[in-house]
């Protein structure tokens, strides 16, 4: 993969108007094929199933009782909560209902009450990411607290422990994901109790409190302290790991662009995103996030339509000389690990410059 470095001055080949027209033509094709229509049957089935599956899982947890076999229940709950988080992600992007209010409340119920993740925190962070994927100083997803995903982050002064970790982050990447679940819960709590604009703050505080306090209390009522602590560690660890491996292939290792670079919407979203090819089983496992290009171009497209939209978008990008990236699942992980390893080792030029090597694909002109 390639990266555009801040020292390169660029200007899109298309004017703003031309770039907009390029995307408008694609959007019209997608709309004419009905791929932006709501899928109420699909989503109502999932919305009804989500609380029922949680209830059944917790009932089984209580019935099984105080035994180390509950670690299998912890793994099941990690999968269930991640799948519900994917559904909440769909609602947050207005994929389920026309009404923004309905989508908001579904996101709060699924995220805060069932999963323990603040919708307000997620919305604030994720909206900025979608506006400027992989753009320095604009995309919060490339400003991680431990892992350095840009040379700029790696070059900052850190504590000795963080410096050592970043130097070995290629090896540590997947183990660190085991802490992601704890980080997501902590970030959610911090968001709802700190100052700043947050709609429905008290609803989020109430739902998060019920979910976190209630779940932990139930665990310690049913299980002895030793098993309870291990149960929570397994559930949180696998939940965070699952979330991490679903989101990691999307943009990590794709071009990182300077803050002052201007690209038209089509190129800004396609060039910074990576699809992961696979069967319909993979679509379910990754919650549709394996179609990251289509998701970034059409965030409100219902998840079932992403697979149908992918070949249309790929063909359109090829016709307009825009690089469309799609790889296998394990290849995507290899790319991510190799990239962050090079960043952690302090390589400033972790990519070759796409403005030189892939000018035809990027569709921009450059002068230094």
């Amino acid at each position: 993969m390639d990266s555009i470095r801040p020292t390169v001055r660029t200007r899109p080949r298309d004017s703003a108007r031309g770039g907009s027209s390029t995307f408008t033509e694609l959007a019209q094709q997608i709309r004419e094929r009905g791929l932006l229509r709501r899928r109420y049957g699909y989503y109502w089935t999932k919305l009804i199933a989500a609380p029922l599956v949680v209830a059944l899982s917790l009932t089984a947890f209580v019935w099984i009782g105080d035994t180390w076999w509950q670690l299998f229940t912890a793994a099941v709950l990690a999968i269930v909560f991640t799948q519900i988080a994917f559904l909440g992600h769909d609602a947050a992007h207005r994929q389920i209902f026309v009404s923004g209010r309905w989508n908001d409340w579904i996101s709060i119920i699924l995220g805060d009450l069932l999963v323990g993740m603040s919708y307000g925190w997620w919305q604030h962070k994720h909206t900025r990411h979608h506006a400027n994927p992989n753009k320095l100083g604009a995309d919060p997803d490339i400003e991680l607290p431990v892992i350095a995903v840009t040379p700029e982050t790696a070059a900052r002064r850190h504590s000795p422990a963080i410096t050592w970790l970043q130097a070995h982050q290629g090896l540590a990447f997947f183990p660190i994901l085991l802490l992601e679940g704890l980080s997501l819960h902590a970030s959610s709590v911090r968001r709802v109790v700190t100052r700043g604009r947050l709609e429905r703050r008290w609803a989020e505080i109430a739902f998060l409190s019920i979910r976190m306090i209630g779940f932990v209390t139930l665990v310690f009522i049913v299980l002895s302290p030793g098993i309870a602590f291990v149960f929570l560690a397994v559930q949180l660890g696998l939940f965070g790991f699952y979330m991490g491996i679903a989101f990691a292939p999307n943009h990590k290792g794709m071009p990182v662009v300077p803050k002052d670079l201007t690209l038209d919407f089509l190129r800004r979203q396609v060039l910074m995103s990576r699809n992961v090819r696979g069967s319909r089983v993979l679509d379910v496992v990754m919650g549709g996030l394996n179609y990251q290009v289509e998701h970034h171009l059409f965030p409100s497209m219902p998840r079932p339509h992403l697979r149908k939209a992918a070949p249309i978008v790929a063909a359109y990008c090829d016709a307009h000389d825009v690089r469309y990236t799609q790889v296998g699942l394990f290849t995507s992980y290899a790319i991510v690990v190799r990239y962050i390893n090079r960043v952690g080792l302090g390589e400033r030029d972790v990519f070759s410059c796409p403005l030189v090597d892939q000018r035809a694909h990027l569709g921009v002109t450059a002068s230094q």
Side-chain angles (χ1 to χ4, degrees):
M1 297 301 106
D2 307 302
S3 175
I4 304 172
R5 305 311 305 157
T7 55
V8 178
R9 293 293 176 262
T10 63
R11 180 171 54 85
R13 182 172 59 191
D14 292 341
S15 65
R17 182 176 179 180
S20 175
S21 298
T22 302
F23 174 71
T24 300
E25 183 182 342
L26 172 61
Q28 184 175 351
Q29 291 184 26
I30 293 295
R31 191 174 294 107
E32 287 174 351
R33 286 165 172 79
L35 298 180
L36 296 179
R37 285 201 298 263
R38 308 290 169 177
R39 291 291 301 271
Y40 291 113
Y42 172 87
Y43 278 116
W44 271 117
T45 300
K46 284 185 170 290
L47 290 174
I48 293 171
L52 290 178
V53 171
V54 172
L56 287 173
S57 299
L58 294 180
T59 300
F61 169 74
V62 173
W63 179 74
I64 294 171
D66 188 23
T67 169
W68 287 104
W69 289 105
Q70 291 282 22
L71 298 187
F72 289 100
T73 311
V76 169
L77 283 171
I79 295 171
V80 169
F81 290 145
T82 304
Q83 284 292 321
I84 294 175
F86 292 155
L87 186 59
H89 173 261
D90 290 359
H93 279 293
R94 307 296 193 257
Q95 294 178 21
I96 300 180
F97 301 109
V98 174
S99 168
R101 184 181 179 86
W102 275 56
N103 284 302
D104 286 343
W105 277 108
I106 288 297
S107 298
I108 291 173
I109 292 170
L110 294 175
D112 294 70
L113 183 60
L114 296 186
V115 179
M117 285 176 54
S118 165
Y119 167 57
W121 167 77
W122 178 261
Q123 183 186 48
H124 177 69
K125 176 177 178 288
H126 205 58
T127 298
R128 290 184 292 149
H129 160 69
H130 266 262
N132 293 286
N134 276 18
K135 176 174 279 193
L136 292 170
D139 182 2
D141 282 7
I142 60 175
E143 294 291 336
L144 303 179
V146 177
I147 296 292
V149 296
T150 67
E152 288 74 15
T153 303
R156 296 172 188 164
R157 296 188 64 180
H158 300 286
S159 66
I162 297 298
T163 300
W164 181 91
L165 182 60
Q166 290 182 350
H168 300 82
Q169 64 181 11
L171 293 173
F173 177 67
F174 286 108
I176 286 176
L177 292 181
L178 293 170
L179 299 175
E180 181 66 13
L182 185 61
S183 175
L184 291 172
H185 288 314
S187 297
S188 296
V189 172
R190 185 164 55 248
R191 173 63 175 158
V192 300
V193 299
T194 56
R195 292 184 178 182
R197 185 175 180 272
L198 179 65
E199 294 185 18
R200 305 178 180 90
R201 180 185 299 274
W202 289 108
E204 291 210 49
I205 290 175
F207 284 166
L208 279 176
S209 299
I210 293 171
R211 164 60 172 82
M212 293 185 178
I213 298 173
F215 182 67
V216 172
T217 300
L218 177 64
V219 169
F220 277 92
I221 288 174
V222 174
L223 304 179
S224 56
I227 299 178
F229 278 114
V230 176
F231 175 92
L232 290 173
V234 171
Q235 188 273 308
L236 276 174
L238 293 181
F239 167 68
F241 186 83
Y242 189 178
M243 290 285 285
I245 63 173
F247 282 91
N250 301 343
H251 305 281
K252 304 293 185 293
M254 293 301 288
V256 175
V257 299
K259 190 174 183 178
D260 59 352
L261 175 66
T262 301
L263 289 171
D264 64 80
F265 180 77
L266 179 71
R267 289 174 173 81
R268 185 167 74 246
Q269 301 299 340
V270 175
L271 297 176
M272 314 310 159
S273 304
R274 177 193 298 113
N275 276 16
V276 178
R277 71 170 67 93
S279 65
R280 293 183 183 277
V281 173
L282 185 67
D283 295 355
V284 174
V285 170
M286 298 196 70
L289 297 174
N290 47 319
Y291 298 106
Q292 197 64 197
V293 173
E294 289 69 33
H295 174 58
H296 265 255
L297 288 172
F298 304 99
S300 63
M301 178 182 289
R303 193 195 308 179
H305 291 161
L306 293 171
R307 172 174 279 268
K308 299 176 183 178
I312 300 171
V313 174
Y316 188 86
C317 288
D318 182 64
H320 288 78
D321 212 16
V322 178
R323 171 179 284 188
Y324 180 100
T325 302
Q326 182 174 236
V327 299
L329 180 62
F330 294 107
T331 299
S332 73
Y333 292 140
I335 292 170
V336 171
V337 171
R338 184 166 60 246
Y339 168 69
I340 64 172
N341 185 60
R342 294 175 66 185
V343 171
L345 292 174
E347 296 186 32
R348 295 296 303 174
D349 187 17
V350 294
F351 294 116
S352 60
C353 178
L355 297 174
V356 176
D357 298 337
Q358 304 294 339
R359 181 177 299 179
H361 293 288
L362 285 173
V364 296
T365 57
S367 61
Q368 292 182 293

